[in-house]
Amino acid sequence: MPRRALRKLDPTIDLSGILLQPEDVPRPWDAQRLFGRTAPLQVEVGSGKGLFLENAAAADPASNFFGIEVAGKYARRCAERLAKRSLTNGRMLAGDALWLFRDVLPDACVADVHVYFPDPWWKARHHKRRVLNGPFVADVTRVLLPGGRLHFWTDVREYYEATLELLAAETPLEGPHSVDARPAEHDLDYRTHFERRTRKAGEPVYRCQFTKPAAGPPVSATDTPAG
């Protein structure tokens, strides 16, 4: 499904310290510097309009949430949602998730990685552009803490099945663990806007969760062939 147009952004909202550009990300990685505290870190890849990031940060104040969105106007919208609710445990990066995982995040620093409704790149010749590719899932495995989780949802069955095959072939992650749909209690009680639209249209959502084994050697992207 294509994204709908955003409403006009509010230029008066102060997003300093919340909306980040790649040059604002500390290297080497320093979560304490970004959030002003040490807490379990959850990373969302492709935050879209920010529904998950906002709701998750509000529901779990004991965790830090780091969203990534390559489209600048959507990243700003996500940051606005955090700022309006004074959610100090959320940060938003306007940038490339592949770069962050490959070049910035160190081993075993993330409790959960969330990937919801990524661009399916429908044509077969474009599948290599999918965010869930060989090098990226190797980096996800590397940055997850032992016992950490990868959450993946999509409305494209072919993408779902191809990703399950990729994860089984190229990572030691355990799964897929099933994730049940639950009834929405109100109109925005969905994981993302894409889930809301898909379910309201009566179409299926494919959900799964994978877990990093509690013990074992770290996995490097250089050790895993590209998908």
Side-chain angles (χ1 to χ4, degrees):
M1 293 183 190
R3 287 173 169 173
R4 293 181 180 176
L6 282 178
R7 63 164 177 76
K8 187 175 181 180
L9 301 173
D10 186 346
T12 67
I13 297 177
D14 182 12
L15 302 180
S16 58
I18 300 175
L19 179 62
L20 309 175
Q21 301 300 322
E23 58 269 22
D24 300 321
V25 178
R27 300 184 66 181
W29 174 257
D30 187 346
Q32 172 71 36
R33 178 177 160 190
L34 276 180
F35 292 93
R37 66 173 189 168
T38 299
L41 177 65
Q42 301 197 37
V43 179
E44 183 189 19
V45 176
S47 295
K49 295 180 181 179
L51 183 62
F52 168 75
L53 198 66
E54 176 189 1
N55 288 341
D60 185 4
S63 292
N64 291 333
F65 289 86
F66 194 83
I68 313 163
E69 174 57 53
V70 71
K73 64 181 180 179
Y74 283 91
R76 181 179 175 84
R77 173 68 179 117
C78 295
E80 276 192 9
R81 299 181 81 118
L82 297 171
K84 283 184 175 180
R85 295 186 62 180
S86 301
L87 295 170
T88 59
N89 61 327
R91 298 290 183 271
M92 190 66 221
L93 172 65
D96 180 11
L98 302 182
W99 164 78
L100 185 81
F101 276 77
R102 182 185 65 239
D103 296 341
V104 180
L105 292 175
D107 296 356
C109 68
V110 177
D112 291 82
V113 174
H114 302 267
V115 185
Y116 300 124
F117 302 91
D119 191 332
W121 290 103
W122 293 100
K123 295 181 179 179
R125 68 177 182 272
H126 292 159
H127 285 183
K128 62 184 178 182
R129 301 183 184 179
R130 290 176 170 177
V131 66
L132 288 165
N133 57 42
F136 179 69
V137 298
D139 275 323
V140 168
T141 305
R142 177 182 61 78
V143 307
L144 280 174
L145 291 159
R149 299 171 295 182
L150 168 65
H151 309 259
F152 170 52
W153 295 16
T154 180
D155 57 342
V156 181
R157 182 170 182 174
E158 180 275 329
Y159 196 174
Y160 178 79
E161 293 175 347
T163 299
L164 297 194
E165 293 177 4
L166 173 70
L167 292 167
E170 301 197 12
T171 79
L173 297 180
E174 298 172 346
H177 310 299
S178 62
V179 179
D180 294 332
R182 62 175 181 78
E185 297 181 4
H186 53 80
D187 193 49
L188 287 179
D189 187 25
Y190 297 92
R191 187 60 59 104
T192 73
H193 284 91
F194 268 92
E195 187 204 7
R196 176 179 178 271
R197 290 169 56 191
T198 301
R199 287 177 59 180
K200 281 182 173 289
E203 298 172 357
V205 174
Y206 305 96
R207 307 169 179 84
C208 64
Q209 178 179 294
F210 283 79
T211 305
K212 184 173 178 177
V219 177
S220 169
T222 58
D223 298 332
T224 305

